[in-house]
């Protein structure tokens, strides 16, 4: 394997000049740069990125810990974070926590051992009481709705406002008996915040909040959504709209309503939340909330990269809430 000294000798320059070319130093003449690059190509010289990063005390890799990698939302989010990381010259290593508190804590405690320069952590199992665990000696950015006001940078969705807009969209399309499919709403998380937005939209429109229309699922999956939609249709429950707190649940609801011979959007209108890629290609295509994944990813990676560059794990923490838009498709008559 060719060394930097071999390149210097072949190009007739010093090893320092070769190093300046490799690191794109601006004070290298064009002719010299071309000569060095030609020698590198001829000798098949490869820059040892790992060694260079270690000399800087970095690996060039950040961790991304998410609950599940096989859910459309987290796949979409991971792709956006990987793209943003590339723009910052970083690579991403992905871990799956299973939405379990102990696995999220392990991701925090083990990130240094795994040689990550920083960690983006989607908190689902951890809660507000776990904020002290975030006081680690390397940069961390958290995603999600479980921990606000913690000691690290935080990127979140506009859950209440966006859910209010989604429910209002159903009401504006003529729905008066709007159901919500969500998880448990006892503690602050995606389900409880989106339930709050749902309730505010109904109250603003002068519609009563019927407890029978609040359908809580054990898991936010397609199977659970399909099963509950079939049960709702067969039980005789009066509903003409459904707000699903995730697109994954909404996909199941569309299947379940079809199984029960309920026509969407003619009899029941359905809207989801996340705007995953698959939602556009369903039959009918799914109306949804687009939380602007790309901006969320860019902000999360940008905050992390800034901390890494300044060697400042914590400081003046920032809390960023993404913008959103309502994407109208066939499932609500679009």
């Amino acid at each position: 394997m060719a060394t930097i000294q071999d390149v210097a000798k072949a190009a007739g320059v010093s090893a320092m000049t070769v190093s300046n070319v490799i690191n794109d130093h601006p004070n290298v003449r064009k002719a010299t740069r071309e000569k060095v690059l030609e020698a590198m190509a001829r000798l098949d010289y490869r820059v040892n990125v790992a060694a260079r990063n270690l000399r800087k005390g970095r690996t060039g890799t950040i961790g991304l810990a998410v609950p599940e990698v096989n859910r459309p939302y987290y796949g979409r989010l991971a792709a956006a974070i990987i793209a943003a990381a590339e723009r910052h010259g970083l690579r991403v290593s992905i871990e799956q926590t299973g939405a379990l508190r102990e696995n999220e804590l392990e991701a925090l405690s083990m990130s240094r051992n795994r040689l990550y320069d920083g960690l983006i952590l989607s908190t689902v199992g951890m809660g507000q009481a776990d904020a002290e665990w975030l006081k680690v000696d390397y940069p961390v950015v958290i995603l999600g709705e479980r921990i606000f006001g913690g000691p690290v940078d935080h990127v979140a969705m506009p859950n209440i406002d966006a859910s209010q807009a989604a429910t209002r969209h159903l009401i504006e399309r003529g729905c008066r008996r709007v159901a919500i499919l969500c998880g448990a709403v006892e503690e602050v998380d995606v389900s409880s915040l989106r339930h709050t937005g749902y309730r505010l939209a109904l109250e603003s429109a002068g519609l009563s909040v019927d407890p029978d229309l609040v359908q809580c699922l054990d898991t936010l999956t397609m199977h659970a959504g399909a099963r509950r939609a079939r049960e709702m249709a067969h039980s005789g429950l009066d509903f003409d709209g459904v707000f699903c707190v995730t697109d994954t649940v909404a996909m199941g609801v569309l299947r379940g309503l079809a199984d029960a011979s309920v026509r969407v959007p003619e009899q029941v209108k359905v809207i989801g939340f996340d705007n995953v890629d698959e939602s556009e290609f369903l039959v009918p295509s799914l109306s949804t909330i687009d939380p602007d994944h790309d901006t969320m990813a860019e902000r999360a990676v940008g905050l992390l990269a800034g901390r890494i560059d300044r060697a400042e794990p914590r400081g003046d923490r920032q809390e960023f809430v993404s913008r959103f838009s309502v994407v109208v498709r066939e499932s609500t008559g679009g």
Side-chain angles (χ1 to χ4, degrees), residues 19 37 44 90 96 102 110 115 129 138 151 188 205 218 265 323:
S19 178
L37 292 174
D44 195 26
L90 297 167
Q96 180 169 275
E102 56 267 31
M110 293 296 291
L115 299 179
Y138 61 89
V188 176
D218 293 333
R323 58 192 178 187

Side-chain angles (χ1 to χ4, degrees), residues 190-272:
V190 164
S191 286
S192 63
L193 293 172
R194 295 178 188 178
H195 174 266
T196 297
Y198 158 82
R199 179 176 50 78
L200 290 173
L202 293 179
E203 293 174 351
S204 179
L207 299 174
S208 61
V209 181
D210 185 344
D212 290 341
L213 294 175
V214 179
Q215 298 284 319
C216 296
L217 307 176
D218 293 333
T219 58
L220 300 179
T221 63
M222 294 183 198
H223 289 291
R227 183 169 58 249
R228 185 59 57 87
R230 287 191 292 268
E231 291 170 355
M232 290 166 61
H234 292 147
S235 70
L237 178 66
D238 179 22
F239 66 100
D240 55 10
V242 181
F243 167 47
C244 302
V245 296
T246 71
D247 281 357
T248 299
V249 171
M251 292 178 194
V253 166
L254 291 178
R255 176 72 260 177
L257 292 176
D259 292 343
S261 299
V262 176
R263 299 190 307 278
V264 176
E266 293 84 0
Q267 294 173 278
V268 173
K269 293 176 171 56
V270 178
I271 191 168

Side-chain angles (χ1 to χ4, degrees), residues 3 24 29 33 86 108 116 118 137 157 160 197 226 232 248 268 276-277 280 298 312:
T3 66
D24 201 24
R29 289 183 300 174
R33 186 183 304 276
E86 287 178 351
L108 275 170
Y116 299 158
D137 62 350
M157 289 187 185
I160 294 177
M232 290 166 61
T248 299
V268 173
V276 299
D277 292 339
E280 183 179 359
E298 181 58 44
E312 180 186 71

